[in-house]
Amino acid sequence: MVKPFVPQLVYFEPKAMDYPLGKTLYKKFSNMDVEIRETTSHNQVRNLPGDNDFQKYRNAKSTLVVGLRKTLKFDTSKPSAEYAIPFATGCMGHCHYCYLQTTMGSKPYIRTYVNTEEIFDAAEEYMKERAPEITRFEASCTSDIVGIDHLTHTLKEAIEYFGRSDHGRLRFVTKFAHVDHLLDADHRGKTRFRFSINDDYVIKFFEPGTSRLHERIEAAAKVAHAGYPLGFIIAPIYLHEGWREGYISMLEKLAETLPAEAKKDLTFELIQHRFTKPAKKVIQKNYPMTKLELDESKRKTKWGRYGIWKYVYTDQEQEEMKQVFVETIKKLFPTASIEYFT
Ligand code: SF4
């Protein structure tokens, strides 16, 4: 069982102490066996312990910077939401294929933002602009927000904030099962709680540091009992020996554990494994022993929206995957919606 995340080292930006959450976190970490340092800005977090890049990367992933979100212009977040709402960046997980390795580059430490009121005010403006249309905010574009929320409770605050809003909806996805503090949040059905799941093989070999499949499924059942709309992202769908059996058994376990009521309104998002050349390089640097198959010659190229070629599965493989997932999901969850396969 993966324990809830506790950082080894925490940096505080001085202005963070002007906010109630900054003070609360300072007190919390002072009472724990955690080293606390001050920094004028997260960019100064340079001298992380470690003799080489490999160790520094690992230490960074257990380092937390408590600071302020300065840019309050939100990125767009298609197709699942209109905007990405920034409460944190970085993640303590060690998924070999994680896209944060390329997007966060040399700064893989975790940051949490304490100026939540300012972030909510910015969200309010985005909602006003689109009203009476509903505006959806995605809270997990740059982090696994649930993985850190047992410490900050920012997500809980956001769930209740959007619960009170007329035109806002919140969604996020997680690979962590530490959800207990979110179960009594007054969500009013306006947050879709999604779990990222995979079969036992993929979780065992490529997702160290995250909750195991049965833990995620048990957490999803708790979330369903708490009345949240629920969803699953199956990503990355990865072809390995026995993948069919692995994924079918994953979906069967899910069907056995979820309460009947929750199965009526489930969403599934299906994302096949893909990589780019720069991502391959950084994966091989951070996880040199990985078994992840990254052979361009076995894949098909697809032009990505960031102006770079992606390597995806061949058309025939994609068709096989789609068939297995669509058939099994329709059989086990007849009223669920499959939002997309990509
Ligand atoms: Fe990346 Fe998600 Fe794994 Fe964290 S849990 S390392 S964000 S893929």
Side-chain angles (χ1 to χ4, degrees):
M1 163 129 191
V2 171
K3 290 205 185 110
F5 171 68
V6 178
Q8 281 169 2
L9 176 61
V10 183
Y11 284 89
F12 278 81
E13 292 175 8
K15 282 221 167 85
M17 299 305 282
D18 298 342
Y19 293 80
L21 180 56
K23 289 191 184 113
T24 308
L25 289 175
Y26 193 88
K27 234 193 199 159
K28 184 175 269 182
F29 291 124
S30 302
N31 291 331
M32 293 162 81
D33 187 19
V34 171
E35 185 183 342
I36 297 178
R37 293 185 192 169
E38 271 193 26
T39 175
T40 46
S41 148
H42 78 96
N43 286 315
Q44 305 295 321
V45 184
R46 290 233 170 84
N47 295 324
L48 285 173
D51 296 335
N52 49 43
D53 285 350
F54 183 85
Q55 275 179 13
K56 280 188 195 232
Y57 178 76
R58 274 146 188 81
N59 288 329
K61 278 199 162 250
S62 45
T63 299
L64 177 67
V65 180
V66 180
L68 265 59
R69 177 71 184 189
K70 296 201 182 77
T71 323
L72 292 168
K73 193 175 174 304
F74 295 177
D75 286 333
T76 54
S77 178
K78 297 282 177 193
S80 69
E82 276 69 49
Y83 294 104
I85 189 162
F87 295 119
T89 49
C91 178
M92 64 296 297
H94 274 282
C95 304
H96 293 184
Y97 52 74
C98 179
Y99 69 99
L100 292 181
Q101 292 177 82
T102 29
T103 55
M104 310 240 342
S106 57
K107 296 171 187 159
Y109 44 79
I110 302 152
R111 298 173 66 195
T112 186
Y113 305 119
V114 294
N115 53 334
T116 47
E117 285 303 325
E118 290 159 24
I119 298 170
F120 292 138
D121 287 348
E124 190 71 44
E125 291 306 312
Y126 283 109
M127 286 190 275
K128 271 191 204 150
E129 224 172 76
R130 286 175 43 88
E133 293 275 309
I134 293 291
T135 304
R136 296 166 303 167
F137 295 89
E138 168 68 61
S140 49
C141 285
T142 52
S143 70
D144 189 312
I145 182 85
V146 175
I148 188 187
D149 205 61
H150 61 282
L151 296 168
T152 63
H153 286 209
T154 306
L155 187 60
K156 185 168 192 179
E157 204 187 331
I159 290 169
E160 299 196 330
Y161 172 83
F162 284 105
R164 290 189 299 272
S165 80
D166 292 325
H167 300 111
R169 297 286 182 277
L170 183 67
R171 48 203 286 134
F172 51 84
V173 60
T174 184
K175 286 188 170 71
F176 291 91
H178 313 120
V179 300
D180 287 0
H181 72 289
L182 298 172
L183 299 178
D184 66 353
D186 185 12
H187 59 76
R188 303 186 195 176
K190 293 182 189 164
T191 289
R192 188 165 291 269
F193 206 129
R194 286 129 82 223
F195 285 86
S196 167
I197 54 172
N198 222 305
D199 74 357
D200 287 319
Y201 177 97
V202 171
I203 293 178
K204 178 172 173 199
F205 289 110
F206 306 125
E207 298 186 352
T210 64
S211 298
R212 306 295 87 183
L213 178 62
H214 71 276
E215 294 169 334
R216 292 183 215 172
I217 294 181
E218 281 155 24
K222 287 192 210 168
V223 162
H225 281 298
Y228 281 94
L230 187 62
F232 295 93
I233 300 193
I234 306 174
I237 301 172
Y238 179 79
L239 298 187
H240 57 86
E241 211 186 309
W243 68 270
R244 268 191 199 77
E245 297 73 20
Y247 284 116
I248 291 172
S249 140
M250 171 192 82
L251 289 165
E252 285 171 350
K253 279 183 210 151
L254 195 59
E256 280 159 25
T257 315
L258 289 185
E261 197 51 33
K263 286 189 228 166
K264 288 188 193 148
D265 168 41
L266 286 184
T267 57
F268 284 95
E269 294 156 80
L270 308 175
I271 307 175
Q272 64 173 305
H273 180 248
R274 76 271 319 276
F275 63 93
T276 60
K277 275 198 200 293
K280 176 175 171 172
K281 233 169 137 182
V282 64
I283 290 168
Q284 288 175 335
K285 181 172 150 238
N286 290 334
Y287 303 102
M289 302 302 283
T290 188
K291 281 162 72 101
L292 197 64
E293 186 270 297
L294 299 166
D295 181 351
E296 291 89 342
S297 69
K298 292 190 180 151
R299 301 290 182 105
K300 168 189 147 161
T301 50
K302 186 176 172 189
W303 187 242
R305 75 182 145 133
Y306 298 108
I308 189 163
W309 288 106
K310 292 188 282 196
Y311 294 91
V312 295
Y313 285 109
T314 62
D315 291 341
Q316 197 194 337
E317 288 168 329
Q318 291 191 34
E319 278 314 307
E320 277 176 52
M321 276 180 209
K322 246 195 262 177
Q323 200 197 353
V324 169
F325 279 97
V326 172
E327 265 176 23
T328 316
I329 290 172
K330 283 205 166 137
K331 190 174 105 198
L332 298 171
F333 309 95
T335 54
S337 92
I338 299 178
E339 303 209 315
Y340 56 85
F341 170 91
T342 177

